[in-house]
Amino acid sequence: MKNTTEWLKENLVTIYDENPYIKLLDISIIHVEEGKVELCMPILAGKHTNLYNIAHGGALASLADSAMGIACATTGKKVVTLEMNMNFIKGAATQAAIKAIGKVIHNGKNTMVAESEIVDNQNQLLAKTRGTFFVTGMFEENKK
């Protein structure tokens, strides 16, 4: 029988594909390992952009928060965001996909800390984020 972490690694894509907000932003999981995840999201004009036709900060924040939260989920823990700090480094023009890499840097009993980097299609740093997450419970096999 698989342990919960192995089950989660195999099923996180399905779990998050059912999330309407993830669908709205067209976020996809491209790689999962324990404590780390890579997501991608297109920057589509009129959907992800602001009035300057670059990625809206809220879309980038959602991508970063999702990357960190899913990285936490790979440990088997359900979490909610307590706080998040984000530095926007460079604007992102419309493009097929940007990538967010989320990593757990502290895996505590009640709280977790994670960070993410968002890069464009030329691997240039767009944003750097760190967040603290509150552990609300554990994932169980066949229960979301």
Side-chain angles (χ1 to χ4, degrees):
M1 181 170 211
K2 297 177 189 168
N3 69 32
T4 302
T5 303
E6 290 171 353
W7 175 83
L8 275 168
K9 286 167 72 173
E10 292 177 5
N11 290 282
L12 276 171
V13 172
T14 302
I15 292 168
Y16 281 91
D17 273 350
E18 295 174 4
N19 181 304
Y21 191 64
I22 298 296
K23 282 184 189 180
L24 176 70
L25 291 173
D26 299 319
I27 295 172
S28 300
I29 299 173
I30 56 176
H31 178 77
V32 176
E33 60 187 76
E34 188 170 351
K36 184 178 178 183
V37 68
E38 291 183 24
L39 308 180
C40 69
M41 179 181 78
I43 304 299
L44 304 174
K47 182 170 186 174
H48 298 98
T49 56
N50 61 22
L51 66 123
Y52 305 112
N53 207 34
I54 60 172
H56 190 286
L60 296 176
S62 293
L63 178 62
D65 186 44
S66 297
M68 293 184 295
I70 296 170
C72 291
T74 66
T75 68
K77 296 178 181 177
K78 293 180 180 181
V79 298
V80 294
T81 309
L82 285 172
E83 69 82 30
M84 186 171 94
N85 174 277
M86 186 164 195
N87 294 104
F88 298 97
I89 309 298
K90 182 178 186 247
T94 57
Q95 56 196 286
I98 58 172
K99 181 169 63 171
I101 302 98
K103 298 177 189 175
V104 173
I105 58 174
H106 168 71
N107 186 357
K109 179 181 174 186
N110 297 311
T111 62
M112 299 181 76
V113 178
E115 62 185 13
S116 73
E117 288 188 350
I118 299 176
V119 296
D120 66 12
N121 58 11
Q122 296 179 348
N123 215 33
Q124 294 182 352
L125 184 64
L126 302 174
K128 180 87 172 168
T129 311
R130 181 174 290 203
T132 305
F133 297 81
F134 180 72
V135 178
T136 63
M138 299 294 291
F139 282 99
E140 296 178 40
E141 194 167 341
N142 298 323
K143 293 182 183 176
K144 298 172 186 164

